[in-house]
């Protein structure tokens, strides 16, 4: 998605630890018009499959899940993050390992909001090692829902997440794939 | 806002502790079309004042701040929540007391994303005792920005938040004001 890539080049900054800071328009300050355009692009890429619901995980994913859900005209569900397991029969839960923070956390979705046979489009802002998306796929599976695909705003192509998901046969559409940070210069993978 | 009130009556449930559960369309599952309509309603109510930026706090506020920001065509900033003070000169911080959880937390906004003289519209999903909104007002004040107004999706009219904010001379527009829960029946305040 060209407008997104241009914005990343203009405002993104590479900081220590191969972290891309895009908090001027993605995950602290948000550009709502760009967010809508991103939601529209997810719609354009996935409107050839049935999508009954959009699923993401708090916090930054909500923006793009909402905008995608708007274009599909389907409900959006965001998984909540917890520190520890919540002993409840009312929720689906999955444990996620954060490599960045070297800690585990739990994501959870109320059983009321995922149903067997539903086709779920998973949306997130970043894809790096894929742990968060794998947790959402796990939760969709617990609900006997189908994963229609995974839409990602920015994929770090030099980390394993994209490869892992695609090797599971899951369709992943990333609107910008970063091939490398070459001396802090952002290099995109050619489409 | 009539469509919102009807939806609250249809899907809202009053649970122990005077808590209104609206997680089927507001804060766990989201109805994106309603969220957009809500954003448009905030625009209709505040488009007679200058709004340079929309400010909210994670998590549930993001949905409605984004939709309001879309209609105003201005950036949206969400404050982040922390457990403890973060000793950084790069952020504005404010301490908030949560009466529900009987604990304090810190909200923080990068100094990059609020500027002196900007007119800030504060948006949140719920207004109860007003502590979160007061924290956002505090942060706007630290940035020497002006508070153009406060837009709330659901105000609990029987708690003090609305009164406190209005007594400070702040314009508060709440799209649904709950007067009381009478035997778990939701009674709205007349407009």
């Amino acid at each position: 998605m060209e407008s997104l890539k241009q914005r990343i080049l203009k405002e993104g900054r590479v900081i220590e630890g191969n972290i891309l800071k895009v908090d001027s328009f993605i995950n602290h300050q948000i550009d709502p018009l760009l967010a809508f355009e991103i939601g529209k692009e997810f719609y354009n890429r996935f409107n050839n499959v049935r999508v009954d619901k959009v699923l993401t995980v708090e916090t930054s994913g909500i923006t793009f899940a909402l905008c995608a859900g708007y274009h599909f005209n389907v409900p959006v569900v965001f998984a909540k993050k917890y520190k520890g397991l919540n002993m409840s029969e009312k929720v689906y839960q999955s444990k996620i390992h954060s490599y960045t923070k070297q800690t585990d956390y739990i994501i959870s979705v109320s059983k009321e909001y995922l149903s067997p046979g539903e086709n779920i489009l998973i949306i997130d802002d970043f894809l790096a090692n894929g742990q968060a998306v794998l947790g959402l796929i796990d939760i969709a599976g617990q609900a006997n829902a189908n994963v229609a695909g995974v839409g990602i705003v920015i994929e770090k192509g030099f980390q394993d997440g994209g490869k892992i998901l695609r090797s599971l046969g899951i369709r992943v559409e990333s609107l910008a794939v970063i091939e490398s940070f070459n001396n802090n210069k952002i290099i995109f993978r050619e489409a």
Side-chain angles (χ1 to χ4, degrees), chain A:
Chain A
M1 185 180 167
E2 198 49 37
S3 59
L4 172 65
K5 289 182 188 172
Q6 289 306 320
R7 189 68 171 266
I8 294 169
L9 289 177
K10 194 176 155 214
E11 295 187 24
R13 278 174 301 150
V14 183
I15 59 172
E16 224 181 287
N18 270 353
I19 291 171
L20 175 64
K21 258 192 99 150
V22 284
D23 62 5
S24 65
F25 62 104
I26 295 279
N27 46 20
H28 185 14
Q29 182 168 256
I30 304 163
D31 176 342
L33 268 63
L34 178 66
F36 264 77
E37 212 189 307
I38 286 171
K40 184 76 193 301
E41 179 71 19
F42 285 133
Y43 176 76
N44 291 342
R45 295 196 185 201
F46 286 104
N47 71 4
N48 57 346
V49 294
R50 194 179 124 202
V51 171
D52 300 312
K53 200 162 271 179
V54 174
L55 179 65
T56 190
V57 55
E58 62 179 356
T59 305
S60 308
I62 295 173
T63 301
F64 306 101
L66 177 72
C67 294
Y70 176 79
H71 288 99
F72 279 101
N73 191 11
V74 298
V76 173
V77 174
F78 63 88
K80 300 188 177 188
K81 287 181 187 169
Y82 293 96
K83 283 262 186 279
L85 272 170
N86 179 350
M87 288 305 165
S88 165
E89 290 174 7
K90 295 180 179 170
V91 295
Y92 301 113
Q93 296 174 85
S94 190
K95 189 162 86 172
I96 292 181
H97 181 69
S98 165
Y99 286 99
T100 323
K101 297 183 183 167
Q102 283 298 329
T103 173
D104 291 339
Y105 61 96
I106 305 292
I107 61 171
S108 116
V109 173
S110 167
K111 289 187 179 177
E112 287 182 68
Y113 304 127
L114 288 177
S115 304
E118 277 185 330
N119 289 285
I120 307 294
L121 176 61
I122 293 173
I123 297 284
D124 210 357
D125 57 339
F126 269 95
L127 177 65
N129 48 57
Q131 298 303 301
V133 170
L134 287 167
L136 292 170
I137 291 171
D138 177 27
I139 280 179
Q142 291 175 42
N144 291 312
N146 312 310
V147 175
V150 173
I152 298 293
V153 182
I154 301 174
E155 177 181 342
K156 288 175 161 180
F158 53 88
Q159 288 188 249
D160 279 341
K163 202 182 295 178
I164 293 168
L165 295 174
R166 291 177 181 105
S167 75
L168 293 170
I170 291 162
R171 179 172 164 204
V172 181
E173 294 278 350
S174 299
L175 307 191
V177 181
I178 293 166
E179 188 63 55
S180 63
F181 298 130
N182 194 341
N183 291 325
N184 291 350
K185 195 172 163 288
I186 298 162
I187 314 287
F188 291 110
R189 184 175 296 170
E190 294 299 320

